[in-house]
């Protein structure tokens, strides 16, 4: 049985993950809440408080619904529930793209108010200056290239990357830009396998794949996808390690039957005039 207590060892640092390039794969899952962080923390190297929380927990149609306040609140919850994994918080759309100063201000606020270990932002060449400035301010950065969920409206949907030679070359340039700007790692999302593998070979920082390649230096999944709790479409790249949709639905149905038949609450759930445990 998996322990629900945070690990006792010290928290993994971004520098330690950087040193994992080409070594033991980095295990990453998203987390948005205190109990999930507690359950995952002993088993993973990195907990990503992804802006996917806007979709997964708040019902938005895409990640553009994430706000700074939302990311900070969930980042705080995950930090309270973890002590082992490196915690990275996504910078939401609109918090870093326009100017370098805004990027540093936003990153600083996330770090200050959550106590997390690093921030993540999407893009390569186009935001290299922002990455460099955030790193120069003393904040570790995780990059994100390939399919960029924050650009879904601009691109007219979720489109797999690297299928043309020109697009593959653009991805190589993005990866080099993220590396040169000082990021300690980079997520590669929704990219054809040979291109993701080649990016991993070409750069000196760890790559973390999601819909990318087993050759990446690590892998990440959205936790609700991985445990079969996603109620909408499950992406092709997901492997479901459990099927909690059925567990939750069956539990709710059993509870409803007991309430309607007055089988719950039973005598063991009630308080008497004598002292008993709450």
């Amino acid at each position: 049985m998996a322990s629900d207590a945070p690990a006792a060892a010290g928290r993994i640092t971004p520098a330690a993950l950087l040193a994992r390039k080409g070594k033991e794969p980095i295990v990453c899952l998203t987390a948005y809440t205190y109990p999930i962080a507690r359950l995952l923390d002993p088993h993973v190297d990195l907990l990503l408080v992804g802006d996917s929380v806007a979709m997964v927990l708040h019902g938005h149609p895409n990640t553009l619904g994430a706000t700074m306040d939302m990311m900070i609140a969930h980042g705080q919850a995950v930090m309270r529930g973890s002590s082992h994994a490196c915690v990275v918080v996504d910078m939401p759309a609109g918090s870093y793209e326009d100017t370098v100063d805004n990027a540093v201000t936003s990153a600083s606020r996330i770090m200050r108010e959550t106590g997390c270990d690093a921030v993540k932002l999407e893009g390569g060449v186009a935001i290299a200056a922002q990455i460099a400035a955030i790193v120069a301010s003393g904040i570790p950065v995780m990059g994100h290239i390939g399919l960029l969920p924050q650009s879904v409206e601009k691109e007219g949907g979720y489109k797999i990357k690297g299928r043309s030679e020109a697009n593959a070359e653009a991805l190589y340039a993005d990866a080099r830009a993220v590396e040169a700007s000082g990021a300690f790692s980079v997520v590669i999302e929704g990219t054809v396998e040979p291109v993701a593998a080649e990016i991993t070979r070409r750069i000196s920082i760890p790559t973390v794949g999601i819909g990318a390649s087993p050759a990446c230096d690590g892998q990440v999944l959205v936790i609700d996808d991985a445990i079969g709790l996603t109620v909408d479409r499950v992406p092709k790249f997901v492997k479901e390690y459990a099927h909690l949709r059925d567990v939750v639905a069956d539990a709710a149905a059993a509870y409803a039957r007991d309430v309607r038949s007055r089988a719950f609450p039973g005598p063991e759930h009630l308080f008497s005039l004598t002292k008993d445990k709450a």
Side-chain angles (χ1 to χ4, degrees):
M1 181 183 295
S3 169
D4 63 354
R11 197 179 289 277
I12 295 172
T13 64
L17 293 176
L18 174 60
R20 293 270 287 273
K21 175 68 180 179
K23 299 178 182 177
E24 181 183 7
I26 296 166
V27 179
C28 176
L29 285 167
T30 66
Y32 317 114
T33 64
Y34 170 82
I36 290 296
R38 286 198 63 177
L39 291 170
L40 301 185
D41 190 52
H43 307 289
V44 303
D45 304 305
L46 192 155
L47 288 172
L48 174 63
V49 186
D51 57 1
S52 49
V53 67
M55 302 170 69
V56 175
L57 295 189
H58 295 273
H60 288 277
N62 52 52
T63 65
L64 297 176
T67 65
M68 283 288 285
D69 287 345
M70 184 188 294
M71 298 312 304
I72 287 168
H74 288 287
Q76 290 169 340
V78 170
M79 287 298 293
R80 293 185 196 109
S82 63
S83 64
H84 164 71
C86 180
V87 175
V88 178
V89 176
D90 263 347
M91 297 182 69
S95 68
Y96 61 90
E97 302 97 315
D98 54 354
T99 68
V100 166
D101 288 345
N102 189 39
V104 173
T105 297
S106 298
S108 298
R109 181 185 170 199
I110 290 172
M111 295 291 290
R112 181 176 65 253
E113 296 188 28
T114 68
C116 69
D117 301 292
V119 297
K120 181 172 77 64
L121 57 165
E122 295 183 7
V125 172
I127 61 157
Q130 283 91 327
I131 295 174
I134 295 170
V135 171
S137 75
I139 298 172
V141 171
M142 184 177 206
H144 186 144
I145 64 172
L147 190 157
L148 305 179
Q150 292 179 5
S151 300
V152 62
E153 290 185 350
K154 181 173 64 177
E155 297 200 354
Y158 297 99
K159 298 180 179 179
I160 301 304
K161 303 299 181 180
R163 284 180 166 154
S164 70
E165 184 176 347
N167 186 236
E169 289 301 325
L171 290 176
Y172 299 144
D174 281 340
R176 289 191 295 269
V178 170
E179 174 190 30
S181 298
F184 72 90
S185 63
V186 61
V187 169
I188 305 175
E189 180 169 359
T191 298
V192 297
E193 195 281 328
V195 173
E198 182 62 21
I199 290 171
T200 301
R201 285 190 289 270
R202 289 190 184 193
I203 62 175
S204 62
I205 61 174
T207 60
V208 177
I210 178 165
S213 171
C216 289
D217 298 294
Q219 301 293 330
V220 60
L221 283 176
V222 169
I223 182 58
D224 292 61
D225 290 345
I227 62 178
L229 197 55
T230 298
V231 295
D232 297 316
R233 186 184 70 86
V234 178
K236 170 185 172 64
F237 55 75
V238 169
K239 178 178 180 178
E240 293 187 327
Y241 288 85
H243 299 89
L244 295 194
R245 285 183 297 273
D246 296 339
V247 174
V248 172
D250 290 348
Y255 169 71
R257 286 193 299 270
D258 280 0
V259 169
R260 289 172 180 139
S261 67
R262 299 191 184 279
F264 177 83
E268 68 274 27
H269 306 117
L270 305 177
F271 300 102
S272 64
L273 292 174
T274 59
K275 289 184 177 180
D276 43 21
K277 290 184 178 180

